[in-house]
């Protein structure tokens, strides 16, 4: 009832008209979800707010929807149309978040809608949206695995994406949906390697792990046969290793792609993300030639200074590595010294590593360190230290006696755990040392009464039995004591008592016959079946009777056989069967879904699969400020251009200049169809954060930064072309274009002021002739593909200049419409002439000679990107439509800084116009005003529609 | 791939619970692996199903804790409870369907809408009697520790102060042998920047000019400030580092570790503390421990907290000394409230130990010191200057703090 009334309250709040109440209600609801309480019955009330304009509220509704949509499928469907609409939003973040939520709604009925949305988003201009679509692939796959084939197509497409933002996410999708389709990687392998450094860090982890697997299937092993993986010799100098390599009969040549991977991952060892560092470390461990693996050592040791949870996992991995490659970590041995502040699990791992690293040279230092560890208050750690001493003693024969003596001293320690552990270790050591150790055994027998730890008692009993001939007097006495306490002992002690009894019976039956029989009788009725079984077996074996077979003859040889010494080895000995850095490695058990790292192929698969045809290299922008050049041959293909439907440029869109705090511009659109291909231009003014506005309390010195980004994209398919070529000659279009230009030009002149004039020829160099030029931003009269340039020629000399004309041009292919020769220019006079220059859509300078009758002067005109554009007209709908089709492979950006105080619409227009020749899209929506541009390129056939858009949102700062 | 994220209180109550795959009910506990860290007195737990590197998840949890700290101001049960909507929003943004998307606060600030709630507005003035890192002190010139614990978003607001905190934090690991010889001395340090500047485009941190890295490189004539190795945050530009020892960076809001460095074995200055222990057995079978402790800090410098922990492997009966005896840990804790530089303190502990033998005398020790030294760096690293550009409009405050902690300062007896 209490929750019911609470829910009623919340419902009421949600239905109120006040945003603040709704918001408060949603916060409380999210609070319920966060605590794991149910809020499902509020679904109808919440879902109504999905289209809210308040972003904060909207986001909370999204959180709710994702959580409950599956439970309330029918109601959830009501919200789908909202997301579908949002998928077309000009703002990339809104598109992305709509896709995210839509793909998180797990309602099978919308699978086709999701599929369509993913496909569209995968071709989106914004890399952020494409990244989101990559994430959505996995969600759809888990909802409906039948979509696999279609999804793989999307993955294939996204793998080709050159954006670093997308790379990580699409590889995640690849790993989830089709990790076995390694063929999809071939062509993208080199690109992924090269992009890796710039990929976002979590993406790096995924890509590196995928590439590790890839490399193990595609390259041959760089490890020489002589230098097998588990070399136990210390690994000091790589020279000897190399010599060994050279003696190999068949020289190994590393695949250049294999080398590329190693080289490009190396800088990532400096990453501050521990997961990236470990990913690279395991890559080197599994892929690099032996002598190169030590590159990762320093970085791994550096991770030891991180959080202790990280330390723990790093130490586990180092422990595994240090077994096979002591040399790697030996110089850093001090880093593994235990600190008093370390947690026990860290201490034991460090101990493990120190033991692995111990050799003849450093054992004395290590043992001294161990001595202080034994004194530790942390008993589990002290016990582990004793084990470690035991291991050092067996591994390094020089110190066996020293260790044994030290351990015997520990037998008089006051702490029982220490004593018990020492006994267990001494027992193992004595077995490896078949020489006389009667004294130690006697000493232990004396301790026997005080030792209560079962394992230690069992160990002493075993020693008594095994070496009973060395302690003939004491052993029967110990057995006598055991007979008294037999029933109260732990199972393990009982078993060893039976064992001792049997051995004594065989060696000293006179003294112990009765005792043995007594113990065997006790054992016969023990509760534990193991002990009953063992007792029955021993009795049959050692006591001769009519039923006992031939076996009892050999009883002595069976029970007192020389036994092989136990090998004290590291718990990490066989951890290397798991790939380093994986969960399975940390847990030392095969985690669900663990994929084993494939072994190297014996013969390298075809290397050429990774070759990529060089795709139109000239199209890559040469540098940031260079426009691409587009003059290489292309396949002719029939195509045609047409403009988007003519639109009326109504609505002066007087947006209110109220208080606004966040402005986001997204300008996109503009593509051109040039013969075989469509060129796309997106001008995107993104992400303007404006912190103050009219009437704001903030200081006026806040700045708005406007980013204008131009995206050029040439990888677009013909079928998307909306603008057939022949229409470009359509007079209607022409005029509409020009009229729009006039409109926007007026905007320009009224607000923009004088055009920028550039110097072409200084009068000093021009022997009196000076020339200046500007871009009038008019369509060129001579050829549509040309950019109009006005040149003002002035004669500042004292004599008249004759025959001013244009001479040689370079490059030769340059298409210039020259002005008519000026026969005579009087001193002090000036003349304005018009030229048309075809820049071929590039910012490459047009070089030509300006000649007079006597002289020739080389001059050049280099246009800014913005001058190559032409404004165009389109409605907002068309704009959105076009914008959605753009891809954002290439972009050019310019930054405008202006004071908020002046952030009126005109002022922004003015600023934008100062860098690019764009026009404004009339907007009917309340807060929207937009800019639009048309971009004219060199050929008649080429039309670009660029539709930068300005989206201004009111946001409450609270 | 992360399945669920929990933030649990120290008692194990759910504070936040986010399930990225709630709908997939075919997951049973068998296939789930739990990883957790502990920070700010809270447990940060993530569950994972398949194929994840444990590093990624531990790193994720650590980053998450740092992000929540940045966004909520401080990490505590209370601050998490008050900001569940904000934290839930964060969790929603950083992980999508179990895959980590981004954890950069610069990217996230575009998305996060919810404002942080703090228990009370912080003021520098009402805390002036509380010292650095919360300990009681008279150091009034030092910025209060809580000054840096406020949400980064608060700088968006009207009253948000433009502040920047640069902390040089060093941790010492020292082992002194029973013969008084220094066996091991390690210093790990870091420069941490916490930025509350909404519009700081570039910051220049000048270090000592004689700062050098590695053994070969020595600069200038004075005592060089040397470290063995150094690593920098990826946002740091080092073009002026070689010539002028200037770090340039564009700090994003919130906290970041700009530089980490390490120095082993070769400390430029004397150790801050030396201990001269004598251990004897008196006629009555009591254990006498005579401790002479010297503080070698410059005069007027003194540690904020100082604890001397003498561990004994003995069972102890009550001692006739007033120093505190911790029977559980079998140790004597000698706490010194004020310990000025250049002074020396002695103490005699008499301990009744049943059946004291000469062998058990060997089991006394080691002595551990824990302390916190404000305004001192063991390596001698100093911040020469801190410049911001563009020049900040309005008043802005820059705080530079130095502190040296004892990570593990052990004296063997």
């Amino acid at each position: 009832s209490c929750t019911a009334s609470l829910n009623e309250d919340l419902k009421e709040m949600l239905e109120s008209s006040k945003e603040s109440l709704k918001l408060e209600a949603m916060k409380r609801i999210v609070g319920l979800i966060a605590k794991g309480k149910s809020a499902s019955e509020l679904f109808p009330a919440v879902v109504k707010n999905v289209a809210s304009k308040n972003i904060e509220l909207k986001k909370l509704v999204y959180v709710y929807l994702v959580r409950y949509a599956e439970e309330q499928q029918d109601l959830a469907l009501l919200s789908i149309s909202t997301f579908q609409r949002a998928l077309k939003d000009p703002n990339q973040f809104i598109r992305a978040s709509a896709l995210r939520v839509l793909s998180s709604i797990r309602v099978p009925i919308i699978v086709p809608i999701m599929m369509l949305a993913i496909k569209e988003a995968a071709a989106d201009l914004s890399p952020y949206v494409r990244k989101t679509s990559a994430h959505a692939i996995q969600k759809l796959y888990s909802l409906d695995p039948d979509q696999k084939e279609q999804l793989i197509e999307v993955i294939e497409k996204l793998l080709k994406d050159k954006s670093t933002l997308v790379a990580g996410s699409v590889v995640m999708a690849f790993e989830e949906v089709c990790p076995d389709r390694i063929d999809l990687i071939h062509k993208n392998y080199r690109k992924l390697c090269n992009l890796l450094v710039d990929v976002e860090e979590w993406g790096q982890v995924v890509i590196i792990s995928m590439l590790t697997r890839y490399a193990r299937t595609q390259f041959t092993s760089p490890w020489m046969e002589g230098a097998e993986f588990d070399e136990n010799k210390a690994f000091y100098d790589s020279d000897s290793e190399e010599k060994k390599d050279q003696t190999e009969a068949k020289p190994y040549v590393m695949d250049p792609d294999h080398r590329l991977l190693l080289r490009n991952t190396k800088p990532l060892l400096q990453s501050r993300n521990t997961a990236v560092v470990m990913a690279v470390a395991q890559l080197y461990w599994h892929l690099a030639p032996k002598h190169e693996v030590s590159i990762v050592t320093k970085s791994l040791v550096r991770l030891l200074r991180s959080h202790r949870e990280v330390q723990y996992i790093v130490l586990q991995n180092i422990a595994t590595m240090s077994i096979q490659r002591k040399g790697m970590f030996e110089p850093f041995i001090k880093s593994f010294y235990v600190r008093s502040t370390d947690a026990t699990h860290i201490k034991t791992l460090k101990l493990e590593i120190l033991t692995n690293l111990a050799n003849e040279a450093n054992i004395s230092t290590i043992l001294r360190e161990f001595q202080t560890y034994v004194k530790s208050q942390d008993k589990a750690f002290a016990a582990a230290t004793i084990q470690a001493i035991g291991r050092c003693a067996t591994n390094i024969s020089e110190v066996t006696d020293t260790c044994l003596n030290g351990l015997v001293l520990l037998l008089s320690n006051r702490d029982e755990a220490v004593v018990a552990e020492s006994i267990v270790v001494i027992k193992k050591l004595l077995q490896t040392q078949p020489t006389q150790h009667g004294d130690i055994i006697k000493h232990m027998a004396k301790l026997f009464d005080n030792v209560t730890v079962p394992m230690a008692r069992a160990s002493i009993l075993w020693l008594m039995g095994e070496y009973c001939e060395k302690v003939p007097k004491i052993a029967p006495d110990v057995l006598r004591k055991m007979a008294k306490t037999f029933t109260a002992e732990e199972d393990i002690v009982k078993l060893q008592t039976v064992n001792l009894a049997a051995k004594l019976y065989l060696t000293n039956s006179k003294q112990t016959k009765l005792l043995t029989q007594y113990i065997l009788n006790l054992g016969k009725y023990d509760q534990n079946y193991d002990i009953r079984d063992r007792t029955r077996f021993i009795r049959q074996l050692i006591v001769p009777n009519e039923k006992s077979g031939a076996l009892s003859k050999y009883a002595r040889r069976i029970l007192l056989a020389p036994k092989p010494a136990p090998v004290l080895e590291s718990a990490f000995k066989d951890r290397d069967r798991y790939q380093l850095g994986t969960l399975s490695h940390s847990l030392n058990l095969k985690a669900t879904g663990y994929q084993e790292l494939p072994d190297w192929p014996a013969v390298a698969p075809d290397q050429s699969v990774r070759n990529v045809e060089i795709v139109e290299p000239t199209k890559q922008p040469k540098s940031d400020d260079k426009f691409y050049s587009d003059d290489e041959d292309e396949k002719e293909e029939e195509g045609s251009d047409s403009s988007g439907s003519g639109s009326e440029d109504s609505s002066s869109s007087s947006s209110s200049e109220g208080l606004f705090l966040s402005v986001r511009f997204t300008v996109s659109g503009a593509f051109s169809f040039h013969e075989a291909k469509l060129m796309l231009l997106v001008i995107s003014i993104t992400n303007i954060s404006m912190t103050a506005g009219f009437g704001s309390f903030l200081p006026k010195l806040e700045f708005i930064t406007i980013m204008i980004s131009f995206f050029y994209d040439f990888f677009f398919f013909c079928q998307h072309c909306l603008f057939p070529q022949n229409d470009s000659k359509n007079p209607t279009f022409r005029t509409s274009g020009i009229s729009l230009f006039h409109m926007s030009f007026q905007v320009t002149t009224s607000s923009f002021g004088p055009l920028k004039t550039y110097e072409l020829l200084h009068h000093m160099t021009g022997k009196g002739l000076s020339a200046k030029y500007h871009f009038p931003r008019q369509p060129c009269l001579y050829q549509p593909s040309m950019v109009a340039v006005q040149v003002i020629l002035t004669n500042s000399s004292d004599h008249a200049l004759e025959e001013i004309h244009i001479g040689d041009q370079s490059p030769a292919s340059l298409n210039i419409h020259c002005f008519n020769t000026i026969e005579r220019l009087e001193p002090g006079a000036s003349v304005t002439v018009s030229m048309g220059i075809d820049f071929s859509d590039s910012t490459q300078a047009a070089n030509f000679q300006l000649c007079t009758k006597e002289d020739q002067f080389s001059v050049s005109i280099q246009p800014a990107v913005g001058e190559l554009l032409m404004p165009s007209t389109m409605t907002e709908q068309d704009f959105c439509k076009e914008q959605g089709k753009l891809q954002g492979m290439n972009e050019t950006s310019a930054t405008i800084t202006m004071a908020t105080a002046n952030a009126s619409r005109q002022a922004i227009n003015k600023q934008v116009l100062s860098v690019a020749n764009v026009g404004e899209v009339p907007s009917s929506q309340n807060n929207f005003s937009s800019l639009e541009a048309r971009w004219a390129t060199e050929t008649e056939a080429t039309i670009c529609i660029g539709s930068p858009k300005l989206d201004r949102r009111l946001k409450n700062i609270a | 791939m992360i399945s669920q994220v929990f933030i649990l209180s120290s008692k194990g109550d759910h504070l936040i619970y986010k399930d990225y795959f709630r709908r997939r009910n075919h997951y049973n506990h068998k296939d789930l692996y739990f990883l957790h860290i502990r920070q700010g007195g809270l447990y940060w737990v993530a569950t994972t199903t398949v194929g994840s590197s444990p590093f990624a998840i531990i790193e994720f949890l650590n980053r998450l804790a740092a992000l929540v700290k940045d966004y909520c101001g401080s990490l505590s049960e209370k601050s998490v409870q008050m900001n569940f909507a904000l934290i839930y929003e964060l969790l929603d943004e950083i992980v999508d369907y179990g895959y980590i998307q981004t954890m950069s606060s610069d990217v996230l600030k575009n998305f996060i809408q919810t404002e942080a709630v703090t228990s009370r507005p912080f003021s520098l003035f009402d805390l002036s009697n509380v010292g650095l890192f919360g300990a009681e002190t008279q150091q009034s010139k030092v910025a209060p520790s809580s000054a840096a614990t406020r949400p980064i978003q608060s700088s968006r607001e009207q009253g948000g102060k433009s502040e920047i905190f640069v902390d040089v934090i060093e941790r010492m690991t020292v082992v002194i042998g029973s013969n008084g010889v220094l066996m091991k001395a390690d210093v790990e340090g870091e420069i941490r920047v916490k930025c509350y500047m909404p519009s700081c485009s570039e910051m220049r941190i000048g270090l000592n000019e004689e700062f050098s890295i590695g053994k070969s490189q020595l600069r200038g004539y004075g005592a060089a400030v040397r470290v063995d190795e150094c690593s920098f945050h990826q946002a740091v530009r080092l073009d002026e580092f070689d010539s002028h020892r200037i770090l340039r960076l564009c700090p994003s809001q919130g906290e970041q570790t700009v530089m980490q460095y390490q120095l082993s074995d070769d400390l430029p200055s004397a150790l801050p503390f030396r201990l001269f222990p004598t251990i004897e057995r008196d006629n009555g079978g009591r254990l006498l421990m005579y401790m002479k402790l010297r503080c070698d800090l410059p005069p007027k410098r003194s540690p904020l907290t100082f604890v001397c922990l003498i561990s004994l492997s003995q069972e102890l009966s009550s001692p006739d000394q007033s120093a505190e005896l911790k029977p559980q840990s079998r140790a004597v804790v000698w706490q010194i409230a004020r310990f000025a530089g250049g002074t020396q303190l002695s103490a005699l502990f008499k301990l009744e130990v049943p059946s004291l033998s000469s062998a058990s005398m060997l089991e006394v020790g080691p002595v551990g010191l824990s302390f916190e030294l404000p305004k001192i760096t063991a390596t001698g690293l100093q911040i020469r200057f801190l410049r911001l550009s563009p020049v900040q409009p309005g008043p802005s405050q820059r705080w530079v703090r130095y502190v040296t902690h004892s990570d593990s300062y052990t004296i063997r007896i």
Side-chain angles (χ1 to χ4, degrees), chain A residues 27 30-31 33-36 55-56 59 63 66-67 70-71 93 100 104 106 128 131 135 138-139 142 172 176 200-202 272-275 278 298 302-303 305 307 309-310 313-314 317 334 337 339-341 369 372 375 377 379 413-415 581-583 586-587 591-593 664 687 697 955 957, chain B residues 1 15-17 22-24 31 33 36-39 49-50 52-56 58-60 62-63 84-85 88-89 92-93 95-97 99-103 110-111 113-115 156 158 173 183-184 186 188 229 233-234 262 265 312-314 329-330 354-355 360 362-363 407-408 410 412-413:
Chain A
K27 280 191 180 171
V30 169
I33 301 175
K35 290 201 182 76
I55 298 208
E56 192 176 353
K59 287 199 69 173
V63 168
V66 171
R67 170 70 178 79
E70 198 173 18
E71 290 176 21
F93 296 118
R100 247 190 89 178
S104 301
R106 298 180 58 83
Y128 183 71
K131 174 192 162 86
H135 280 287
Q138 305 145 45
K139 301 188 217 173
S142 80
M172 284 179 202
E176 177 86 347
E200 175 270 336
E201 51 191 6
W202 304 103
R272 74 196 170 97
N273 187 322
T274 54
M278 189 58 221
K298 219 171 177 182
R302 186 163 55 88
L303 294 187
R305 276 171 251 149
H307 298 277
E309 293 85 1
V310 175
I313 317 175
V314 175
N317 285 289
K334 275 195 168 184
Y337 283 2
R339 295 177 184 183
S340 54
T341 44
E369 198 62 24
T372 55
K375 286 206 268 175
Q377 294 300 305
K379 290 306 160 203
N413 196 289
R414 299 172 68 88
D415 193 282
T582 58
L583 193 62
S586 285
L587 297 171
T592 15
R664 220 167 250 175
N687 197 11
F697 40 74
K955 205 203 116 203
I957 196 167
Chain B
M1 205 152 108
L15 299 178
I16 300 275
Y17 162 54
R22 191 196 53 80
R23 298 154 304 272
R24 283 186 166 185
D31 300 332
Y33 300 97
H36 76 274
I37 61 162
R38 193 171 172 177
Q39 268 195 31
T49 51
V50 286
S52 290
S53 149
F55 278 95
I58 297 285
E59 176 78 13
F60 163 78
N62 281 321
R63 293 272 187 100
F84 57 81
Y88 216 75
E89 196 183 349
D92 200 51
E93 284 298 342
V95 179
D96 183 18
Y97 196 67
Y99 286 97
I100 304 163
Q101 301 212 95
T102 181
M103 298 195 82
N110 295 322
F111 305 113
Q113 305 289 336
T114 316
E115 295 282 340
R156 291 212 293 233
Q158 172 201 15
T173 304
M183 294 173 71
K184 181 182 163 190
D186 260 356
E188 284 167 17
E229 54 174 324
H233 190 279
Q234 58 207 14
Q262 199 201 7
D265 292 336
L312 308 156
S313 289
Q314 306 292 322
S329 56
R330 295 197 283 184
S355 67
S360 55
L362 294 173
E363 290 169 34
D407 191 7
S408 155
T410 311
R412 291 177 185 163
I413 296 180

Side-chain angles (χ1 to χ4, degrees), chain A residues 215-244:
Chain A
R216 283 289 279 255
T217 58
Q218 301 298 318
F219 307 128
T220 48
S221 168
W223 305 326
M224 291 299 106
E225 269 175 32
E228 250 315 301
F229 211 65
D230 45 2
E231 48 185 317
N232 283 320
K233 283 284 153 208
F235 192 88
Y236 294 113
D237 46 353
S238 51
D239 295 346
S240 65
E241 181 79 356
E242 271 159 12
K243 261 179 235 150
K244 213 188 276 175

Side-chain angles (χ1 to χ4, degrees), chain A residues 289-339:
Chain A
K290 303 271 187 183
H291 60 276
E292 285 177 40
V293 180
S294 40
I295 289 171
V296 305
T297 313
K298 219 171 177 182
S299 306
L300 285 178
V301 172
R302 186 163 55 88
L303 294 187
L304 293 180
R305 276 171 251 149
S306 190
H307 298 277
R308 61 178 191 168
E309 293 85 1
V310 175
Q311 279 183 41
Y312 177 64
I313 317 175
V314 175
L315 287 171
Q316 284 187 327
N317 285 289
I318 292 179
T320 302
M321 294 164 102
S322 63
I323 291 175
Q324 294 171 9
R325 305 292 300 277
K326 286 183 189 198
M328 258 177 91
F329 293 97
E330 221 203 311
F332 296 91
I333 199 159
K334 275 195 168 184
S335 310
F336 304 108
Y337 283 2
V338 170
R339 295 177 184 183

Side-chain angles (χ1 to χ4, degrees), chain A residues 664-694:
Chain A
R664 220 167 250 175
F665 297 73
T666 309
V667 185
S668 60
F671 47 90
S672 94
F673 185 69
H674 176 219
E675 282 132 359
K677 64 188 190 292
L678 195 70
M679 296 182 196
L680 296 165
L681 160 66
V682 176
I683 303 165
S684 153
I685 307 178
T686 46
N687 197 11
I688 296 174
S689 10
M690 196 154 92
T691 28
F694 178 76

Side-chain angles (χ1 to χ4, degrees), chain A residues 752-762 770-777 788-794 830-833 860-864 867 914:
Chain A
F752 182 41
L755 288 165
K756 208 168 171 183
T757 307
Y758 306 87
E759 181 145 275
L760 188 63
L761 180 66
H762 193 264
S770 76
K772 288 182 169 148
Y773 70 95
H774 65 255
F775 297 96
R777 295 192 170 181
V789 181
Q790 284 194 334
V791 183
I792 304 145
L793 298 161
T794 311
S830 67
V831 63
T832 304
V833 290
S860 76
I861 293 179
Q862 182 165 33
E867 300 299 339
S914 75

